[in-house]
Amino acid sequence: MLGTSGTLLESLERRSRTSRIGSGRITLAIGILILGTMIVASLAAPLITSAKPDAIDPLHPLLHPLSPGHLLGTDSFGRDILSRILYGGRIDLLIGFGATSVTAVIGTAIGLASGYFGGWVDSIIMRIVDLFFAFPFFVLVIAIVAMLGPSIFNMFVAIWLTSWISYARITRGHTLVAKRQEYTLAARALGYKNRRVMLRHILPNVVSYVIIFAMVDAVGNIVLGSSLGFLGLGAQPPSPEWGVMISDGQNYLLTAWWLSTFPGIAIILVGVGFSLIGDGLADILRPGD
Amino acid sequence: MTGRFGFLGRRVLQLIPVVVGITILVFFLLHLVPGDPARQILGQHYTPKAAAEIHHKLGLDQPLWTQYRIFMDRLVHGELGDSVYYNQSAGSLIAERLPATLLLIAYAGVLAALVSIPMGIIAALRRGGIFDQATRIGTLITFAMPPFWFGIILILFFALKLQLFPVSGYGHGFSDHLWHLFLPALTIALAFSTILTRTLRASMLSTMRMDFVDTARIKGISRTTVLMRHVVRNAIVSIVVVFGINLAFLVGSTVIVESVFSIPGLGQLLVAAVESRDYPVVQGTTLVLAFFVVLVNLLTDVVHAALDPRVSYE
């Protein structure tokens, strides 16, 4: 009896894992489709629209969406909104990938070393992590940008300086677990060097957590980057960065709602794409969690 | 009980390095300024005499260690230096702006709880149902939604089209404040409720799988009673913790939403100070907001310990 119920439970568990992996694949595919479309569209912007993002047309300001030649309308300078969103996507996607990838690599390396070696280095790094966690992240980024001077590059610097801590914390936590596993002990018993144990045995078991978090973080970074653009502290006008576009449109809300609305939808689409990829990967890579 | 007080005592002791660290970090912010801060502040009005005056005012004519000592000495006496733009101390500027920000944060927190507690509970009870799916898609979208954009959309519909709420400002008197701050608070609440709803749902689901829930059911207690007394109570405790963890996020959203709705709070002061290169005000605001987060985190730990006796053993 016990044996049968055991196998029944096991098979149920396996089935739920399999179904999680299955639904995870669908989620991942939808996410890749959305994000992929946005990436391709912004890279292929010149093929999609002949309008230049910064071409001013004083004769046709504030044209409604679906106007001939201007699918999403024009702004107060007569600039084509669709073209600006497509070209602006290059900046916002660069923020998403550029800010996230650098901090992910730095943070993971620090967390891995901190968790693996332990000791006083670990204590110091963890105190720094605690300190940064106490700060309202957005406020700290603004303060750093304030000191360096508002620009898109300084925005990257501010994010690089502050965002690695989440990765360090995640990686350190999972490294501490992996360090005690038999495969790590075996690798060390075989006399492998620390670097090899860390990179070949621990990192592959930790990296899935990093990748899943990076997808969430990318959404956060795009929202952050556009927020700074909106406040005038990141990308500067006349850049077609989406936050800057939303800020430009704020003065024309009543007469021209489309100026601010469409760039916002673009941010949401990219964000949803990243989130779905993260959710899908979580189901596939960690179906048991 | 001693365990619980011991826990709180340890928690307060742990704060000391964090608080000292915050002061060091904020102090060094000024030294991130490329070149001479006085040149940045003065711009076209630069003269060696004016620069020397600013150096003296910011304490830059002293050695680094003395600068930090002066910074700390002032801080202990509640002074945050003088604004270089306004003819006022940074401390008094911040004190003027603080109430609006605190009210906005509290307001947003209450709205977020009102929205996400029922949503999280229903989504967990009807797991996999239509409501659960809708909540999942809803949180997916709101998570990617920039708060400043959502604020603008709210202004467009509720302030400009329907004219139910003011477009911006803070108003006079408490009820007027609540009316003016409704849309800004809702903007922040939406972003925050994404996190709250997800956490509450997950916490409910894991509590419902616990043995004590089955035990209570086997003892013949009705499903509703078990849910209200055991499951929801445990889930509420998790809400308190999530509140503490995500307070920094809440404060960050406040900064930007204040700018959208022109609310005279710390966020608007900070952004204006960045533009006018008012470094002491940037430092002061950052410091106050960081201390606020640390303080409220301590408070949530106290509440958590009071609600959940297991905390004392951790």
Side-chain angles (χ1 to χ4, degrees):
Chain A
M1 268 310 275
L2 264 176
T4 21
S5 77
T7 45
L8 182 69
L9 202 68
E10 270 169 27
S11 83
L12 276 176
E13 199 129 278
R14 209 175 307 132
R15 199 183 299 168
S16 102
R17 282 170 69 102
T18 326
S19 85
R20 262 199 85 175
I21 294 176
S23 77
R25 287 210 177 111
I26 298 171
T27 315
L28 180 66
I30 300 173
I32 291 177
L33 188 73
I34 296 176
L35 187 63
T37 310
M38 296 300 283
I39 294 173
V40 170
S42 65
L43 289 180
L47 303 175
I48 296 170
T49 170
S50 57
K52 291 269 170 290
D54 46 5
I56 292 172
D57 181 1
L59 295 178
H60 299 102
L62 304 178
L63 285 182
H64 277 268
L66 301 178
S67 300
H70 300 288
L71 189 62
L72 300 181
T74 60
D75 70 5
S76 57
F77 296 102
R79 295 176 296 196
D80 183 60
I81 299 282
L82 176 66
S83 164
R84 287 181 71 73
I85 288 181
L86 292 176
Y87 282 94
R90 296 178 176 182
I91 305 170
D92 286 88
L93 288 165
L94 182 70
I95 296 172
F97 285 103
T100 312
S101 55
V102 172
T103 47
V105 172
I106 298 173
T108 305
I110 293 176
L112 196 62
S114 184
Y116 185 78
F117 292 115
W120 62 271
V121 178
D122 181 46
S123 306
I124 292 176
I125 290 176
M126 281 307 111
R127 290 295 80 75
I128 297 174
V129 167
D130 284 348
L131 172 63
F132 274 83
F133 260 95
F135 265 96
F137 173 64
F138 188 57
V139 174
L140 188 58
V141 169
I142 290 185
I144 294 174
V145 169
M147 299 303 165
L148 296 174
S151 80
I152 194 156
F153 178 74
N154 289 340
M155 180 195 76
F156 272 107
V157 174
I159 297 177
W160 290 336
L161 283 175
T162 50
S163 286
W164 58 271
I165 49 156
S166 303
Y167 293 94
R169 191 141 120 164
I170 292 169
T171 312
R172 176 184 176 267
H174 292 295
T175 303
L176 287 179
V177 176
K179 200 167 86 170
R180 285 192 292 270
Q181 302 292 320
E182 276 150 14
Y183 57 78
T184 311
L185 299 177
R188 292 174 76 170
L190 283 170
Y192 289 150
K193 289 212 169 66
N194 283 333
R195 221 183 80 172
R196 177 167 175 156
V197 177
M198 278 162 71
L199 296 180
R200 299 278 283 275
H201 298 269
I202 294 182
L203 186 63
N205 288 286
V206 167
V207 80
S208 62
Y209 295 99
V210 173
I211 294 172
I212 293 165
F213 178 76
M215 296 301 133
V216 180
D217 192 38
V219 182
N221 282 333
I222 289 173
V223 171
L224 176 71
S226 61
S227 301
L228 290 174
F230 174 81
L231 292 173
L233 307 178
Q236 302 290 320
S239 158
E241 193 278 321
W242 294 336
V244 175
M245 286 181 73
I246 295 173
S247 166
D248 288 343
Q250 206 187 354
N251 298 325
Y252 300 92
L253 267 191
L254 203 52
T255 44
W257 55 268
W258 55 94
L259 301 192
S260 290
T261 308
F262 291 132
I265 293 172
I267 296 177
I268 294 174
L269 277 175
V270 170
V272 168
F274 271 115
S275 293
L276 288 175
I277 293 175
D279 285 356
L281 286 177
D283 283 345
I284 295 168
L285 298 173
R286 300 271 158 202
D289 288 1
Chain B
M1 272 321 268
T2 47
R4 208 176 285 186
F5 283 121
F7 161 76
L8 288 177
R10 268 205 313 279
R11 190 64 186 72
V12 172
L13 279 181
Q14 280 170 358
L15 277 187
I16 296 172
V18 173
V19 168
V20 173
I22 287 174
T23 61
I24 294 176
L25 199 59
V26 170
F27 169 73
F28 271 107
L29 274 178
L30 185 62
H31 296 270
L32 281 178
V33 178
D36 181 2
R39 198 173 277 278
Q40 299 287 349
I41 292 168
L42 292 166
Q44 293 170 334
H45 306 288
Y46 182 87
T47 59
K49 190 167 166 279
E53 208 170 289
I54 286 183
H55 284 161
H56 181 67
K57 222 173 163 182
L58 297 176
L60 290 172
D61 49 355
Q62 306 281 339
L64 201 59
W65 168 244
T66 319
Q67 283 181 38
Y68 180 67
R69 226 194 53 222
I70 296 172
F71 178 80
M72 284 307 284
D73 193 50
R74 278 185 187 163
L75 192 63
V76 171
H77 294 94
E79 288 166 34
L80 297 166
D82 290 320
S83 160
V84 291
Y85 188 72
Y86 302 96
N87 203 2
Q88 221 174 336
S89 75
S92 68
L93 276 170
I94 289 167
E96 279 170 19
R97 308 294 191 100
L98 192 60
T101 299
L102 291 184
L103 182 59
L104 184 56
I105 291 173
Y107 201 175
V110 170
L111 287 183
L114 285 178
V115 173
S116 43
I117 290 177
M119 275 184 29
I121 291 175
I122 297 172
L125 292 181
R126 302 258 180 276
R127 188 187 180 187
I130 294 173
F131 188 84
D132 188 25
Q133 298 292 351
T135 310
R136 197 180 157 214
I137 295 171
T139 51
L140 192 69
I141 293 172
T142 47
F143 181 66
M145 200 183 274
F148 63 94
W149 180 79
F150 183 63
I152 289 177
I153 298 298
L154 286 181
I155 292 178
L156 180 61
F157 278 100
F158 292 102
L160 294 174
K161 295 253 156 113
L162 301 174
Q163 306 203 330
L164 291 173
F165 294 97
V167 174
S168 63
Y170 183 48
H172 301 281
F174 188 68
S175 57
D176 203 28
H177 290 333
L178 287 187
W179 186 56
H180 274 83
L181 291 184
F182 181 75
L183 290 184
L186 190 65
T187 308
I188 302 167
L190 184 91
F192 194 44
S193 62
T194 306
I195 305 168
L196 284 188
T197 308
R198 279 192 176 185
T199 316
L200 190 58
R201 177 182 175 277
S203 158
M204 288 267 299
L205 287 175
S206 73
T207 314
M208 285 196 290
R209 277 198 295 268
M210 297 264 189
D211 287 340
F212 71 86
V213 174
D214 289 334
T215 312
R217 286 286 284 144
I218 291 166
K219 276 159 74 182
I221 302 171
S222 77
R223 188 176 137 89
T224 325
T225 316
V226 173
L227 281 177
M228 293 314 290
R229 290 249 182 93
H230 297 280
V231 179
V232 173
R233 190 186 156 179
N234 271 286
I236 297 289
V237 172
S238 76
I239 279 267
V240 173
V241 179
V242 177
F243 232 96
I245 294 172
N246 290 291
L247 182 80
F249 170 82
L250 198 62
V251 170
S253 318
T254 311
V255 169
I256 183 153
V257 168
E258 278 180 13
S259 296
V260 177
F261 289 89
S262 310
I263 297 160
L266 285 187
Q268 212 196 25
L269 180 69
L270 176 64
V271 174
V274 177
E275 279 156 14
S276 56
R277 299 187 185 277
D278 199 344
Y279 301 125
V281 173
V282 173
Q283 282 179 302
T285 317
T286 311
L287 198 66
V288 168
L289 288 175
F291 279 164
F292 172 72
V293 169
V294 169
L295 194 70
V296 179
N297 269 329
L298 178 69
L299 230 86
T300 49
D301 279 355
V302 174
V303 174
H304 187 197
L307 288 176
D308 190 343
R310 282 170 301 181
V311 170
S312 45
Y313 301 109
E314 278 167 12

